[in-house]
Amino acid sequence: MSHITPEQLSEDAKKLIVDYLSRIDELKTKDRMKIPAQEMPAQDPGIRSHNLEEVALGYTVEQARIEAMRCLQCVKKSCVDDCPVQIDIPRFIDHLAHNQMDEAVGVIKEASLLPAICGRVCPQETQCQLNCTVGKALKDVDKSVAIGRLERFVADWERATGKIAIPEIKPETGKKVAVVGSGPAGLVVAADCRREGHQVTIFEAFHKLGGVLRYGIPEFRLPNDIIDKEIEVLKAMGVEFKTNFVVGRTRKLTDLMDKDGYNAIFVGTGAGLPMFMGIEGENLVGVFSANEYLTRANLMRAFEKGKADTPIYISKKVAVLGGGNVAMDSARMAMRLGAEKVYVVYRRTEVEMPARKEEVAHAKEEGIEFLFLQNAKRIIGNDKGRVKEMECVRYELGEPDASGRRRPVLIPDSEFILDVDTVIVAIGNGSNPLISQTTPQLNVNKWGNIIVDETQKTSVNRIFAGGDIVLGAATVILAMGEGRRAAAAINKMLAEEIEGEKEN
Amino acid sequence: MSKIIFKKKLSNDVYLMRLHAPLIAEERAAGQFIILQINDDYGERIPLTIADADTKEGSITIIFQIVGKTTLELSEKKVGDEIPALVGPLGQPTHIENFGTVVCVGGGIGVAPLHPIAQALKNAGNRVITIIGARNKELIILEDEMKSIADEFILCTDDGSYGRKGLVTEPLKEICERDPKPNMVIAIGPPIMMKFCSLTTKPYEVFTQVSLNTIMVDGTGMCGGCRVNVGNEVKFVCVDGPEFDGHKVDFDNMMSRLNSYKELEREAHSCFLEQEIKNKEALQ
């Protein structure tokens, strides 16, 4: 894997822009298709694998404008359809190409208040960039217009100029909306309901805001000050935040209505219940859920040794079980915390990995070793109950199953020992049962996910839900899409109520 | 933010504090705990049992022992100081009903979480036998409080400096041998004490409930740092517990997990102490 330096990428872009800018309004489809896709500048892998700074450095202005000119402004706009919050992508990109930055920001903000986050963590290759006409024509989804990077560029530009526009708030309605959980779904609901003039309070169990954006996704992928900045906008809009507040325990969900007078509630508590493999040795010292490992490292800042009181396990050889983004984040974090060897152990092959391609590529560049078609069988401890090694088994690809994916089939007698002192389990999350346990009237399915109708309404009047607590562990942007739908339903319900009150 | 309303030193390293937390005071039940941080940027989250609550004053009471950096810093806080992060009540409340005769066994600081449970059991009509123990006289806390609710009260110290000489398991065994035997035992204290209380009652088949004190991070069920083997199942102490059937708990695994960060903690503690000494010297 080659790593092109940011300087080189910048140089190349500066040369190209001179040519293209002069004929920006005469560019034909044929010309646009010839514009080279812009690589994202990144920190040098050898250096970044030892620091917490953001890996992807973001486009330069020249790169952003060249990349923007690759957009054909096609009539099909499948990118918009594939975006869960339906940002008017061609329109913001056209503004960007013409250096009309304020306008570009405005277009994005119509649909999303968190572009600096989405531009960084959305799996664009399976969403807005999946059916991009350019990518289709070039028969390579990686050659699609880099919509996520452009969105990020616009958001970062807005932040850098220091004049983040506060969206307009309609006159106060006197209605109160409670949002439970400050993750991506909750933030969207808060913004959308506040814009309609309702009083909004977000309740968060942790001492910091952002949900998975804060405790899960590491700073090398999503810096904390970006989360803070996007949340500051909500604060400036008048959204109230209550941290250290566990709804279900500090206050029952229904008491928020019965005792505190909230007119509507959105539950966006996520899927924060770590799953374990159920294998022997999983409770040995040195075995962690990815949630615990990442919470210690990110939220509790354990990587800032000497400053943080929260300790993190000292590891030399680490095995991460799983193949999603959480597994990538855990592996790359372990490397940054000083591990000498980090393995990702995955039962299937690279093709089936649910992690973003870009993150897998970054992990490989940083020296993470991938063990495909292998899985943990048991974890073996020493006489002090600490992880000494892990017994693994091998798989081969069998016949395709009903979903068309070739199933991994266990190879008999393929056991072997992997020399590790730490195991991080990143095989997924279930839904946190706290709310459903303490609100028995709320209908949930057999996995504990809250059941909602097409407007995100639950079985309890005035209570709506969305994000991972409904979907099971999914993506940031899908959670935001659900939040948007729920907010629309809440706003509609409250508007009708206000209308009714006027008539009486 | 939660203001310290009252502070009292109970014994050498043990402190009692009342904190302003009206919502927690209103919702909490015996057996539940809180998590607090004395610095919400870099501080760690530590679990502490709610020893008492006063809904009129809007306060909860915590009792803690200095065992490391965070508890030492907490002990240095004064009345009027704020605790930046306090969350709760967490965990399942203790199941309280009239069981008949209940033996409440508390070891060292474990008497603090035991007290509200013993009180609630007494109020529910149980005959409460209390055994409290510690290494020496200095470390005995809440003696009067426990005595006042007990129908029968036994105090022991390891070194015989106060009360009966010996471990709490000795009187516990004697009580189990009585006819009729007690209906239930609740043991709270250091893991090793809870382990041996459970081993003591097992042959007599007296149900023994223990309250586990594992390492925790969030306390809301999202990390599994507090997991223990109970029977053949993995349980999260913060949401499934903290109370479990002592005859089913794998105490040895739990104790080795409690030592996960021993060296790092010792390091943090000694670094912190050195800095404290330096600060004090600089002031002089």
Side-chain angles (χ1 to χ4, degrees), chain A residues 205-208 215 244-246 249-252 255 259 272-274 276 282-285 287-289 291-292 295-296 299-301 304 307-314 384-386 429 432 434 437, chain B residues 23-24 26-27 32 37 40-45 69-70 73 84-92 215 217-218 220-225 227-229 234 236 239 253 256-257 259-261 263-265:
Chain A
F206 272 131
H207 53 292
K208 298 274 183 195
Y215 74 74
N244 299 303
F245 198 114
V246 186
R249 292 255 190 253
T250 311
R251 208 69 157 160
K252 300 262 178 306
D255 282 349
K259 290 187 181 171
L273 183 80
F276 287 92
E282 216 163 13
N283 282 3
L284 289 166
V285 177
V287 185
F288 302 91
S289 73
N291 283 9
E292 181 184 358
T295 299
R296 283 175 180 274
L299 177 74
M300 306 309 293
R301 315 198 63 73
E304 290 190 60
K307 265 187 167 177
D309 291 338
T310 303
I312 197 148
Y313 203 65
I314 296 168
K384 292 196 176 71
R386 292 181 171 239
N429 280 296
N432 193 309
L434 228 163
Q437 264 175 16
Chain B
L23 285 177
I24 302 177
E26 196 181 312
E27 289 291 321
Q32 290 190 298
Q37 271 178 285
D40 61 2
D41 281 321
Y42 291 104
E44 61 183 338
R45 297 166 65 91
K69 182 173 184 267
T70 300
E73 283 183 297
L86 181 67
V87 60
L90 302 171
Q92 303 282 352
I215 290 176
V217 185
D218 62 294
T220 60
M222 62 145 282
C223 86
R227 65 198 190 275
V228 285
N229 293 319
V234 174
F236 289 4
V239 289
N253 174 257
S256 79
R257 289 182 61 79
N259 287 331
S260 300
Y261 301 99
E263 290 125 55
L264 290 168
E265 278 162 6

Side-chain angles (χ1 to χ4, degrees), chain B residues 43-161:
Chain B
E44 61 183 338
R45 297 166 65 91
I46 61 163
L48 293 167
T49 305
I50 304 168
D52 202 356
D54 180 341
T55 46
K56 248 194 213 140
E57 188 185 44
S59 73
I60 57 161
T61 302
I62 52 167
I63 295 174
F64 61 94
Q65 183 171 17
I66 300 174
V67 290
K69 182 173 184 267
T70 300
T71 41
L72 177 61
E73 283 183 297
L74 183 60
S75 74
E76 290 172 343
K77 296 269 177 206
K78 297 178 207 63
V79 170
D81 286 353
E82 302 263 14
I83 303 293
L86 181 67
V87 60
L90 302 171
Q92 303 282 352
T94 309
H95 175 67
I96 304 284
E97 62 169 72
N98 191 345
F99 298 99
T101 298
V102 182
V103 189
C104 295
V105 194
I109 187 82
V111 177
L114 183 63
H115 179 247
I117 297 169
Q119 178 81 64
L121 287 166
K122 181 71 201 168
N123 293 345
N126 288 278
R127 182 167 186 273
V128 175
I129 304 175
T130 304
I131 309 172
I132 67 173
R135 280 204 310 280
N136 56 49
K137 187 181 175 184
E138 252 299 283
L139 299 171
I140 293 283
I141 57 163
L142 302 181
E143 182 189 345
D144 295 341
E145 286 83 348
M146 290 304 274
K147 200 186 255 172
S148 71
I149 51 173
D151 293 287
E152 198 180 328
F153 179 75
I154 302 160
L155 187 151
C156 10
T157 50
D158 295 9
D159 65 356
S161 54

Side-chain angles (χ1 to χ4, degrees), chain A residues 50-114:
Chain A
H50 303 291
N51 70 36
L52 258 294
E53 261 129 71
E54 196 172 10
V55 165
L57 299 171
Y59 279 155
T60 61
V61 62
E62 292 85 5
Q63 277 190 294
R65 294 189 65 190
I66 297 170
E67 185 67 29
M69 282 180 240
R70 295 183 62 231
C71 175
L72 305 178
Q73 297 292 322
C74 59
V75 283
K76 212 169 131 209
K77 293 187 186 182
S78 40
C79 52
V80 181
D81 297 334
D82 291 344
C83 167
V85 297
Q86 271 105 51
I87 295 175
D88 191 342
I89 293 163
R91 194 150 61 89
F92 101 75
I93 288 184
D94 190 46
H95 283 305
L96 172 55
H98 286 86
N99 208 25
Q100 296 154 343
M101 295 302 293
D102 286 320
E103 289 84 349
V105 171
V107 172
I108 295 177
K109 288 284 175 79
E110 287 165 14
S112 169
L113 275 185
L114 309 162

Side-chain angles (χ1 to χ4, degrees), chain B residues 187-208:
Chain B
I188 308 182
I192 191 82
M193 168 257 177
M194 292 192 281
K195 174 182 169 177
F196 279 97
C197 284
S198 302
L199 287 173
T200 302
T201 58
K202 187 129 199 237
Y204 303 97
E205 292 176 349
V206 178
F207 177 75
T208 300

Side-chain angles (χ1 to χ4, degrees), chain A residues 48 149 154 189 250 332 379 498:
Chain A
R48 73 176 191 239
R149 294 168 181 180
V154 172
V189 174
T250 311
R332 297 171 70 196
I379 305 163
I498 294 164

